Amino acid sequence: DAGVIQSPRHEVTEMGQEVTLRCKPISGHDYLFWYRQTMMRGLELLIYFNNNVPIDDSGMPEDRFSAKMPNASFSTLKIQPSEPRDSAVYFCASSSSRTSGGGTDTQYFGPGTRLTVL
Amino acid sequence: GNSVTQMEGPVTLSEEAFLTINCTYTATGYPSLFWYVQYPGEGLQLLLKATKADDKGSNKGFEATYRKETTSFHLEKGSVQVSDSAVYFCALRGGSNYKLTFGKGTLLTVNP
């Protein structure tokens, strides 16, 4: 089975440019999570979806960040305009409510997108 | 709110040494507790979990026991290998909240 797929794996852009990160969750999973990882702040949850609907976006740092999930097999995280402080590794994870504990106990992570904003 | 505190690294051990990585938590109710591992250049993988007090999670020789009285979930392994070198994250999920709250991670390096 394919795991969570993220693209691109690496992105280098200049300040002010728009950046779009993409994620394909594991087929059949109904929860999708976006995280950001930095040395200073560790792993932060940005937003999560259930059945394509955003449930909690309280971790989204600013209006420059937006996330969508148009269907069960695709999600995007967009930063517009990007700033150097957005440089981080962005992870997408998915899980299924059909697992034990009512869901989200086991989150499957993608390999991440390393974003560098110059 | 929920929080997780784990020992700061880095931790450097020789092969076959005993490993302990401390983790304590703050949460209301009865959270589920997890250890995730991140190998270089990869995403996080679930290592083990425990969902109620006194449960012991185990996998790949690693163990952790859910101690409600001390609000702890320390990770242990009796004999580490070079291949265990990674970053280890303690995490919790509290009640009906579907969020996972992660600790800051502990870098483990095992030397031959």
Side-chain angles (χ1 to χ4, degrees), chain B residues 87-109:
Chain B
V87 180
Y88 292 81
F89 292 88
C90 186
L92 71 82
R93 181 175 74 86
S96 61
N97 188 332
Y98 292 131
K99 294 181 182 181
L100 284 180
T101 300
F102 286 89
K104 290 192 177 296
T106 302
L107 172 63
L108 170 67
T109 301

Side-chain angles (χ1 to χ4, degrees), chain A residues 31-49:
Chain A
Y31 282 88
L32 184 139
F33 306 82
W34 281 102
Y35 291 90
R36 177 172 68 176
Q37 184 180 38
T38 61
M39 289 294 291
M40 292 297 295
R41 302 172 68 92
L43 198 62
E44 305 172 277
L45 176 66
L46 300 177
I47 185 171
Y48 77 92
F49 296 82

Side-chain angles (χ1 to χ4, degrees), chain A residues 31 37 56 101 104-105 107, chain B residues 34 36 38 43 93 98-99:
Chain A
Y31 282 88
Q37 184 180 38
D56 186 342
T104 75
D105 275 6
Q107 293 187 16
Chain B
F34 309 85
Y36 276 79
Q38 183 180 26
R93 181 175 74 86
Y98 292 131
K99 294 181 182 181

Side-chain angles (χ1 to χ4, degrees), chain B residues 54-67:
Chain B
D54 300 325
D55 269 2
K56 177 185 287 187
S58 61
N59 185 26
K60 300 181 181 181
F62 291 89
E63 293 183 339
T65 301
Y66 188 142
R67 301 288 188 197

Side-chain angles (χ1 to χ4, degrees), chain B:
Chain B
N2 297 338
S3 67
V4 174
T5 302
Q6 59 182 103
M7 65 185 287
E8 293 190 17
V11 174
T12 302
L13 297 173
S14 297
E15 206 164 23
E16 300 184 2
F18 184 85
L19 168 70
T20 299
I21 301 177
N22 290 338
C23 172
T24 58
Y25 67 89
T26 301
T28 55
Y30 302 93
S32 295
L33 302 173
F34 309 85
W35 278 99
Y36 276 79
V37 59
Q38 183 180 26
Y39 298 103
E42 299 183 10
L44 280 71
Q45 305 173 23
L46 179 67
L47 181 59
L48 54 84
K49 69 178 183 182
T51 58
K52 60 183 187 295
D54 300 325
D55 269 2
K56 177 185 287 187
S58 61
N59 185 26
K60 300 181 181 181
F62 291 89
E63 293 183 339
T65 301
Y66 188 142
R67 301 288 188 197
K68 188 167 178 60
E69 64 275 13
T70 55
T71 62
S72 65
F73 193 55
H74 304 320
L75 182 68
E76 297 181 336
K77 186 175 186 182
S79 176
V80 293
Q81 305 301 311
V82 172
S83 58
D84 294 326
S85 298
V87 180
Y88 292 81
F89 292 88
C90 186
L92 71 82
R93 181 175 74 86
S96 61
N97 188 332
Y98 292 131
K99 294 181 182 181
L100 284 180
T101 300
F102 286 89
K104 290 192 177 296
T106 302
L107 172 63
L108 170 67
T109 301
V110 181
N111 295 318

